[in-house]
Amino acid sequence: MSGSDAHRRRRTVEVLIVGAGPAGLSAAATLAEAGAGRVEVLERDPWPGGAPRHCDRPGFGRWRTSSGPEYARRLTEAAVAAGATLRTETTATGWWHEDPDPARPASSVTRDVPSPTRPASSLTLDVPSPTRPASSLTLDVTGPAGLERVTARAVVLATGARERPRSARLVPGTRPAGVLTTGELQQSVHLHGLRGAAIGRRAVVIGAAEPVTRGAVRTLREAGVEVVGVVSEGPRPPAYRERVGAPLLPWTTVTGLVGHGRPTGVTVRHRGGRTGTLTCDTVVFAGDWIPQHELARAGGVPLDPATRGPAVDGAFRTPVPGVFAAGNGLRGAEPAAVAEAEGRQAAYAVLRHLAAAPWPSRTVPLVVEPPLLWVTPNRVGGPDTRRPLLLRPAEPLRLPVLAAVQDGRLLWRSRRWAVLDPARSVRVTPEWTAAVDPDGGPVVLRAR
């Protein structure tokens, strides 16, 4: 036993939830209220509530009349009142494997899994090894109480998503002051009260015309910053000005940042070949979400190649027995109400698991073809998994026909009498999943 292991305090809980955003808090409240035993929520930030905590605008809650902080506070109070334990400034650093040979590496296998960009491509996924379980459901935790090792009968991953910063988007240039993500901007304005020159005078927002982009524009204006424009690699959506209210440069790519110490502009290139420079002193990178999947990967939880989040079935079970995942850690940003509902549904599945319901031995993957981007849940299997699917297009689709096919057999077909917006998911009813062959190949979702 290493020195650090010797100093770890060991505890046991019934359910350990990682992440105190809408999904984690709603799961905690539901489980604690149902008498699931000791339910504990870990949150690495100083306060629970997730992203809504620093979205100081209306639009949250059942009637969409609450501000983000009010909504986060109500979710937190509900979880605590139900009997859940919330531990802030506490991080799950990894999974502890009770293995007689700790030097043996975790297993990886290569499987043929269709990908949106590489159909039927060969992708390497982390999976549980038959000789070394991916997770003993024991997590190493660090926080104000010191080093701990916490064992649970069930673990819920509600880790949320993050925006890709400049470096991850491969935009050349330095990272001077004045280069932010939407989350950093909102925290600066709504949590720390920065305004005017403390944020900047002229800003460019980089991202698709989706809700988070509108939020960035609104926050900049609240702070007294002029929004020079929104740069989007996609098309101009309908009613753009009414929805965003700032000049849009569609089909345009940011090729670099200009300036040192603070930006003086961004260089852009239109897909037609035109180039130019937008003068600004503040740059906000909005959207382009990626699930925070590091803990899932460390536990050997397979990731879906399209969402880049944990693969789950309709009961929010991952392929690792006892490990569930819900909320925006599954695929990136959906409205807080969606994450809250998923946390509640995951809690019901956890209760069944605690009551010794069998874990599916096999599930059938759901995969997408372009121009579709991803689908969640993305596995089918088990009697309690038929719930609506969220399907996201990668581009605007006008009156598309959606279909599901397994091994050449048509399972479902539906025309949508509207333009599908890449900023919003499409709800797909699940009745047709009853026709999926549990011993067949992947189910492919298409749009024509």
Side-chain angles (χ1 to χ4, degrees):
M1 178 180 294
S2 69
S4 61
D5 286 347
H7 291 90
R8 286 190 183 273
R9 185 164 65 98
R10 295 172 181 262
R11 298 188 300 104
T12 300
V13 300
E14 288 296 309
V15 184
L16 188 64
I17 300 171
V18 183
L25 291 172
S26 67
T30 303
L31 287 162
E33 190 173 358
R38 183 173 177 83
V39 178
E40 190 166 289
V41 186
L42 308 181
E43 173 55 54
R44 67 185 180 186
D45 285 347
W47 302 277
R53 187 172 53 84
H54 49 77
C55 294
D56 195 6
R57 57 174 176 80
F60 293 86
R62 178 174 298 180
W63 308 113
R64 296 185 176 272
T65 56
S66 299
S67 70
E70 291 170 344
Y71 174 72
R73 184 170 58 253
R74 282 209 303 269
L75 290 178
T76 301
E77 291 172 350
V80 172
T85 299
L86 269 60
R87 302 179 60 204
T88 57
E89 297 184 282
T90 303
T91 303
T93 58
W95 305 72
W96 183 63
H97 303 280
E98 209 163 2
D99 191 328
D101 182 9
R104 182 166 58 209
S107 148
S108 291
V109 301
T110 299
R111 293 181 175 174
D112 288 332
V113 182
S115 160
T117 55
R118 295 180 296 165
S121 63
S122 185
L123 299 175
T124 299
L125 302 178
D126 292 331
V127 298
S129 163
T131 57
R132 177 183 183 181
S135 165
S136 60
L137 299 193
T138 299
L139 276 78
D140 286 334
V141 173
T142 182
L147 301 176
E148 296 181 299
R149 186 156 283 157
V150 184
T151 299
R153 291 180 60 194
V155 172
V156 180
L157 301 177
T159 48
R162 64 178 181 272
E163 294 170 288
R164 289 182 185 271
R166 177 203 63 81
S167 57
R169 304 191 199 204
L170 305 180
V171 175
T174 62
R175 194 199 187 284
V179 180
L180 309 167
T181 63
T182 309
E184 291 169 336
L185 169 68
Q186 290 177 330
Q187 290 186 48
S188 298
V189 174
H190 297 313
L191 294 186
H192 304 297
L194 300 184
R195 295 288 189 279
I199 299 295
R201 292 181 173 83
R202 290 168 55 87
V204 170
V205 178
I206 302 170
E210 56 180 328
V212 68
T213 307
R214 301 199 297 272
V217 171
R218 182 166 43 243
T219 301
L220 286 165
R221 287 183 166 161
E222 289 173 5
V225 181
E226 178 189 358
V227 181
V228 176
V230 175
V231 180
S232 173
E233 293 186 347
R236 179 186 297 273
Y240 170 81
R241 185 164 296 277
E242 290 76 6
R243 290 165 54 184
V244 180
L248 173 70
L249 282 70
W251 303 118
T252 302
T253 300
V254 173
T255 56
L257 303 186
V258 182
H260 296 276
R262 188 163 190 107
T264 58
V266 296
T267 56
V268 297
R269 182 181 64 248
H270 189 268
R271 70 171 181 175
R274 300 190 308 275
T275 61
T277 300
L278 300 176
T279 302
C280 63
D281 59 7
T282 303
V283 181
V284 178
F285 287 90
D288 195 4
W289 299 95
I290 183 170
Q292 301 198 98
H293 55 220
E294 291 78 11
L295 187 60
R297 286 180 58 86
V301 176
L303 305 181
D304 181 81
T307 64
R308 297 167 293 180
V312 293
D313 64 15
F316 299 98
R317 294 175 292 221
T318 74
V320 178
V323 179
F324 300 77
N328 285 333
L330 294 178
R331 80 257 120 180
E334 287 286 331
V338 173
E340 178 189 352
E342 289 181 346
R344 191 177 305 111
Q345 291 298 320
Y348 298 145
V350 171
L351 291 171
R352 292 191 292 270
H353 172 68
L354 297 178
W359 201 269
S361 58
R362 184 181 186 277
T363 55
V364 178
L366 302 177
V367 299
V368 296
E369 288 184 350
L372 299 176
L373 188 60
W374 50 253
V375 62
T376 56
N378 36 49
R379 296 294 185 273
V380 175
D384 53 353
T385 61
R386 291 172 193 163
R387 59 174 291 106
L389 308 175
L390 293 179
L391 184 63
R392 181 66 69 99
E395 61 189 52
L397 301 178
R398 184 174 180 80
L399 309 182
V401 175
L402 305 178
V405 178
Q406 183 185 33
D407 299 328
R409 180 169 58 97
L410 181 65
L411 304 178
W412 168 77
R413 184 178 182 274
S414 174
R415 177 177 289 279
R416 295 300 168 115
W417 299 100
V419 177
L420 302 191
D421 187 339
R424 289 182 172 83
S425 297
V426 182
R427 289 178 67 86
V428 174
T429 55
E431 292 79 7
W432 58 270
T433 59
V436 172
D437 180 359
D439 298 317
V443 174
V444 180
L445 295 171
R446 297 170 175 163
R448 296 289 186 269

